[in-house]
Amino acid sequence: MKFNEFVENLSNYEAGKPIELVVREFGIRKQDVLKLASNENPFGTSEAVRDAIVQNAACAHLYPDDSMYELKGALASKFGVEPQNIIIGAGSDQIIEFALHAKLNSRRAILQAGVTFAMYGIYASHCEAKVYKTSAQEHDLAELLKIYNAHRDEISVIFLCVPNNPLGECLDAEAVYEFAGSVDEDTLLVIDAAYNEFAAFKDERKRLDPKLLIQNFKNVLYLGTFSKVYGLGGMRVGYGIAPRQIINALYKLRPPFNITTLSLAAAIAALKDEAFVQKSLQNNAAQMSRFEDFAREQSLEFIPSYANFITFKLSPPLDSSELCEQLLRRGIIIRNLKSYGLNAVRITIGTQGQNDRVFGTLGEILSGY
Amino acid sequence: MKFNEFVENLSNYEAGKPIELVVREFGIRKQDVLKLASNENPFGTSEAVRDAIVQNAACAHLYPDDSMYELKGALASKFGVEPQNIIIGAGSDQIIEFALHAKLNSRRAILQAGVTFAMYGIYASHCEAKVYKTSAQEHDLAELLKIYNAHRDEISVIFLCVPNNPLGECLDAEAVYEFAGSVDEDTLLVIDAAYNEFAAFKDERKRLDPKLLIQNFKNVLYLGTFSKVYGLGGMRVGYGIAPRQIINALYKLRPPFNITTLSLAAAIAALKDEAFVQKSLQNNAAQMSRFEDFAREQSLEFIPSYANFITFKLSPPLDSSELCEQLLRRGIIIRNLKSYGLNAVRITIGTQGQNDRVFGTLGEILSGY
């Protein structure tokens, strides 16, 4: 059977390895596996969310309220926007997919930082579009603008990941607003704020305001997620905030019932539990310092991170694939960044006890080099 | 902001109204609303599924095992195929989306029955493809073949919905196999078996065998779902079974983590609870007879149904929109088929008690005409 030509050339996203795989392949007991590979919340989900899931378990047969009235209302009131400025996705990924499908085709292109979230490029390739990247790995707004100006007719979508996954660096909000002002009204500027809560907690200058963004720019799509600080990685709920005209177009590409009934209930409950969010942010900040101290002690190069992970850049003889494999055999899953073209690893910031285990095990491995 | 031209012309799927909307708009108490509009399982989910959800609620922060090792293994063993012949989707809808995206473009077309599941045409329009339909509302294989032969170079995908949603009629398995033999190897034949368990229970000649299909035809994609007889409508889990070459292509278009952690656990548990499935099938068959009796008493025209719903074709002065509205005010949600171009309503077969309420309320309304 023949398929559209572009399908043959697509590459798949390389996800963090699941706990189940380590159990199956290395025979390690499930409770002994520590997964710090996918930036999930180390405190799990809040008790309020667990209660909501348990209470709604008997409704699993019912399709969700596809208007998502309550969730959109709660997000609208949190951000001071209208429900009509919001779209919900199965993770913010899905909103990226809608946006690219709406804007791109084989004659168009996206622009992004040299090393950033892989799904931007993957979804662009589903639309047969070209991907422009800066030579700088981290976000370099001057270089982004230079490339944009050189290919203004071709570039339809620009991505800023604030803070950047998988590197951890973070643009100031003011710099983002200024950049938005330099972009044509017909170029969609996607601001991926999946980890922005962590950045804003560390430094108020990093806090993005979606209301201000959509009031001032007709071409901005702000993306948030419940997968990280809200602890709902497994429930697949993200949101997009944008001017109505953009939301209306994305809605036309949204399949009905794109999140589950329990995901909807979980997200509504998660939004209400601000104490859990604060606890998660505080733990992350405190434990991030310990990771930085550990890196300095071990002479590991790290990128100061504004997210809930830290990226170590390795130098020979240290090799990221080998290091990940050695940790895996000891039941610790971290993220190899080789698929991003880097000899580097990304580790999710865990709880104090989880991190103690990482420092102990990793320190032992490193002492062998 | 300008979007791709096709986006402007897209229409949205009109879903069954959610219970929450009736509560909000008509002030009816939630527990008094009876939803028989979306063919959900009237027994809800099985207790085994509820237990699995409750047990996994504390894992909601963890991304699912994206290999879906256990679920694909269980489906493979149920159908006697290999796990490599299986793809999991967020509902079988999503697999339709992958398939059409892989096969279609603005120069291609799909072929389907005159009245069938709306999402085929909607996803085709996302690919800017044309939709050919038979003049017959129900599946007419001779007419399908005639149109196919007239547009063989253009038609890349053919849909058979067995049994057909929203009408309820059902092709014999033998007729489906024979039809598959008349289709070019490069034309994808999608056999949507979302309701096939109900048909097979009523009449063994309707039972489709995915193993036999993929052994004999290189171009067949069989679709099943957990949303109907398995009682997981709100969890969004469907599956596709096809030769490996097709599955490999669809996988390239699958976003990572396309079902939730709890959906995965729920589907695994649902597959094991055969007693719940049998109870659901028996209830459906017994209650379907009562609906047919009711229709005869009321002189309502109905299509003999092989699914878990029944479709009444109305004649003036009866109007489907008016009838749905009258039921809605009394807390009963059924499905208006006006968006399919029919003066007809589709009612999900409920439990005995639910159906008693429908017969009473509907009988009362009809006596006013």
Side-chain angles (χ1 to χ4, degrees):
Chain A
M1 160 119 0
K2 270 177 268 162
F3 294 98
N4 284 324
E5 218 176 286
F6 76 93
V7 176
E8 301 297 327
N9 306 318
L10 294 179
S11 57
N12 282 316
Y13 178 72
E14 193 183 318
K17 293 194 193 311
I19 291 170
E20 292 83 351
L21 182 135
V22 180
V23 172
R24 286 196 300 272
E25 294 198 356
F26 297 95
I28 296 167
R29 293 186 311 173
K30 192 170 178 179
Q31 61 269 39
D32 293 338
V33 179
L34 174 56
K35 185 184 177 203
L36 296 172
S38 301
N39 306 333
E40 292 139 335
N41 193 315
F43 292 117
T45 53
S46 87
E47 267 186 59
V49 167
R50 272 174 265 171
D51 288 350
I53 291 171
V54 169
Q55 277 166 32
N56 284 278
C59 298
H61 64 300
L62 293 174
Y63 288 94
D65 175 2
D66 204 37
S67 75
M68 305 191 199
Y69 180 88
E70 191 177 350
L71 179 57
K72 289 204 288 190
L75 283 167
S77 113
K78 176 183 169 74
F79 290 110
V81 299
E82 299 297 317
Q84 293 83 351
N85 295 121
I86 297 176
I87 185 167
I88 307 295
S92 46
D93 295 36
Q94 197 185 31
I95 302 169
I96 297 170
E97 198 181 1
F98 301 155
L100 295 189
H101 195 164
K103 286 293 285 181
L104 298 182
N105 55 53
S106 58
R107 300 173 306 282
R108 317 298 300 169
I110 68 164
L111 171 62
Q112 63 172 45
V115 174
T116 189
F117 188 39
M119 293 309 299
Y120 309 151
I122 290 176
Y123 286 129
S125 66
H126 289 194
C127 302
E128 305 178 63
K130 189 167 174 178
V131 179
Y132 286 105
K133 296 178 181 193
T134 58
S135 60
Q137 291 178 355
E138 302 183 4
H139 285 73
D140 176 334
L141 292 178
E143 194 188 352
L144 283 165
L145 214 48
K146 197 176 146 194
I147 298 175
Y148 177 57
N149 285 327
H151 304 278
R152 223 168 168 112
D153 291 338
E154 193 183 358
I155 292 170
S156 301
V157 184
I158 303 175
F159 285 94
L160 298 180
C161 191
V162 190
N164 188 21
N165 172 26
L167 297 184
E169 100 279 2
C170 190
L171 295 166
D172 282 356
E174 279 305 326
V176 171
Y177 301 152
E178 198 190 314
F179 182 83
S182 326
V183 172
D184 284 346
E185 269 191 18
D186 197 40
T187 306
L188 182 66
L189 179 61
V190 180
I191 298 174
D192 185 345
Y195 298 89
N196 194 257
E197 293 91 345
F198 298 104
F201 186 82
K202 181 174 177 177
D203 181 345
E204 199 49 46
R205 286 172 303 181
K206 309 294 182 186
R207 186 183 301 282
L208 293 167
D209 180 349
K211 181 181 179 182
L212 197 150
L213 277 167
I214 69 171
Q215 275 176 347
N216 286 287
F217 306 103
K218 290 186 180 163
N219 58 339
V220 162
L221 171 60
Y222 172 99
L223 298 178
T225 185
F226 286 91
S227 296
K228 307 302 170 187
V229 76
Y230 288 101
L232 295 185
M235 301 306 283
R236 316 300 295 123
V237 193
Y239 53 93
I241 303 179
R244 285 187 194 200
Q245 194 235 349
I246 294 177
I247 296 296
N248 291 347
L250 302 189
Y251 246 90
K252 293 202 162 200
L253 290 163
R254 188 188 69 96
F257 311 123
N258 62 324
I259 69 168
T260 79
T261 298
L262 296 182
S263 302
L264 193 54
I268 291 165
L271 258 192
K272 289 178 184 156
D273 192 353
E274 191 52 35
F276 178 81
V277 170
Q278 286 306 313
K279 179 179 108 172
S280 303
L281 292 172
Q282 277 157 12
N283 172 75
N284 190 66
Q287 297 298 317
M288 183 69 82
S289 307
R290 295 184 67 214
F291 266 95
E292 292 175 354
D293 293 343
F294 174 80
R296 284 187 203 102
E297 279 163 29
Q298 300 283 342
S299 307
L300 286 171
E301 186 188 347
F302 68 92
I303 304 169
S305 169
Y306 289 85
N308 68 340
F309 55 80
I310 189 163
T311 293
F312 294 149
K313 290 184 163 179
L314 308 180
S315 307
L318 278 176
D319 174 79
S320 64
S321 303
E322 203 178 300
L323 187 63
C324 288
E325 178 74 15
Q326 287 180 289
L327 282 166
L328 213 53
R329 294 191 178 282
R330 291 166 175 83
I332 299 176
I333 320 176
I334 64 168
R335 184 64 175 279
N336 184 3
L337 296 185
K338 199 134 285 180
S339 66
Y340 284 87
L342 302 177
N343 182 24
V345 295
R346 190 192 68 186
I347 307 180
T348 305
I349 307 303
T351 61
Q352 175 151 348
Q354 290 172 339
N355 300 336
D356 287 344
R357 183 172 163 198
V358 172
F359 301 147
T361 309
L362 188 51
E364 202 183 291
I365 293 172
L366 292 174
S367 71
Y369 281 86
Chain B
M1 159 121 1
K2 270 177 267 162
F3 294 97
N4 284 324
E5 219 176 286
F6 76 93
V7 176
E8 301 297 326
N9 306 319
L10 295 179
S11 57
N12 283 317
Y13 177 71
E14 194 183 318
K17 293 196 194 308
I19 291 170
E20 292 83 350
L21 182 136
V22 179
V23 172
R24 285 195 302 269
E25 294 197 358
F26 297 96
I28 296 168
R29 292 185 312 171
K30 192 170 178 179
Q31 61 268 39
D32 294 337
V33 179
L34 174 55
K35 185 184 176 200
L36 296 173
S38 302
N39 307 333
E40 292 139 335
N41 193 315
F43 292 117
T45 54
S46 87
E47 266 185 60
V49 167
R50 270 175 266 172
D51 287 349
I53 290 171
V54 169
Q55 276 165 33
N56 283 278
C59 297
H61 64 301
L62 294 174
Y63 289 94
D65 175 1
D66 204 37
S67 75
M68 305 188 199
Y69 180 87
E70 191 176 349
L71 179 58
K72 289 205 287 190
L75 283 167
S77 114
K78 176 182 169 74
F79 290 111
V81 300
E82 299 297 316
Q84 293 83 353
N85 295 121
I86 297 176
I87 186 167
I88 307 295
S92 47
D93 296 35
Q94 197 185 30
I95 302 169
I96 297 170
E97 198 181 2
F98 301 154
L100 295 189
H101 195 165
K103 286 293 286 180
L104 298 181
N105 55 54
S106 58
R107 298 172 309 280
R108 316 299 299 170
I110 68 165
L111 171 61
Q112 63 172 47
V115 174
T116 188
F117 188 39
M119 292 310 298
Y120 310 151
I122 290 176
Y123 286 129
S125 66
H126 289 193
C127 302
E128 306 178 63
K130 190 168 172 177
V131 180
Y132 286 105
K133 296 178 182 190
T134 58
S135 60
Q137 291 178 355
E138 303 184 4
H139 285 73
D140 176 334
L141 293 178
E143 194 188 352
L144 283 165
L145 215 49
K146 197 176 147 194
I147 298 175
Y148 178 56
N149 285 327
H151 304 279
R152 223 168 167 111
D153 292 338
E154 194 184 357
I155 293 170
S156 301
V157 184
I158 303 176
F159 284 94
L160 298 180
C161 192
V162 190
N164 188 21
N165 172 25
L167 298 185
E169 99 279 1
C170 190
L171 294 166
D172 282 356
E174 280 305 326
V176 171
Y177 302 153
E178 197 189 317
F179 182 83
S182 327
V183 172
D184 284 346
E185 271 192 16
D186 197 41
T187 306
L188 182 68
L189 178 61
V190 180
I191 299 174
D192 186 345
Y195 299 89
N196 193 256
E197 293 91 345
F198 298 104
F201 186 83
K202 181 172 178 178
D203 182 346
E204 200 49 45
R205 287 172 301 180
K206 310 294 182 186
R207 186 185 301 280
L208 292 167
D209 180 350
K211 183 184 179 183
L212 197 149
L213 277 166
I214 68 171
Q215 274 175 347
N216 287 287
F217 306 103
K218 290 185 180 163
N219 57 341
V220 161
L221 171 61
Y222 172 97
L223 298 178
T225 185
F226 286 91
S227 297
K228 306 301 169 188
V229 75
Y230 288 101
L232 295 184
M235 301 306 283
R236 316 301 295 121
V237 193
Y239 53 94
I241 303 179
R244 285 188 194 198
Q245 193 234 350
I246 294 177
I247 296 295
N248 291 347
L250 302 189
Y251 245 90
K252 292 201 164 200
L253 290 163
R254 188 189 69 97
F257 311 123
N258 62 324
I259 69 167
T260 78
T261 298
L262 296 182
S263 302
L264 193 54
I268 292 165
L271 259 191
K272 291 178 184 156
D273 193 352
E274 191 51 36
F276 178 80
V277 169
Q278 286 306 314
K279 179 179 108 173
S280 303
L281 292 172
Q282 277 156 13
N283 172 75
N284 190 67
Q287 297 299 317
M288 183 67 82
S289 309
R290 296 185 66 214
F291 265 95
E292 292 174 354
D293 292 344
F294 173 81
R296 285 187 202 100
E297 279 164 27
Q298 300 283 340
S299 308
L300 285 170
E301 185 187 350
F302 68 93
I303 304 169
S305 169
Y306 289 84
N308 68 341
F309 56 79
I310 189 163
T311 292
F312 293 149
K313 290 183 161 180
L314 308 180
S315 306
L318 277 176
D319 173 79
S320 64
S321 303
E322 203 179 301
L323 186 64
C324 289
E325 177 75 15
Q326 286 180 291
L327 282 165
L328 213 52
R329 294 189 179 282
R330 291 165 175 82
I332 299 176
I333 319 176
I334 64 167
R335 185 63 174 278
N336 184 2
L337 296 185
K338 200 134 284 184
S339 66
Y340 284 86
L342 302 177
N343 182 24
V345 295
R346 190 191 69 187
I347 308 180
T348 305
I349 306 304
T351 60
Q352 174 152 349
Q354 290 171 342
N355 299 336
D356 287 344
R357 182 171 162 197
V358 172
F359 300 147
T361 309
L362 188 51
E364 203 183 290
I365 293 172
L366 291 174
S367 71
Y369 281 87

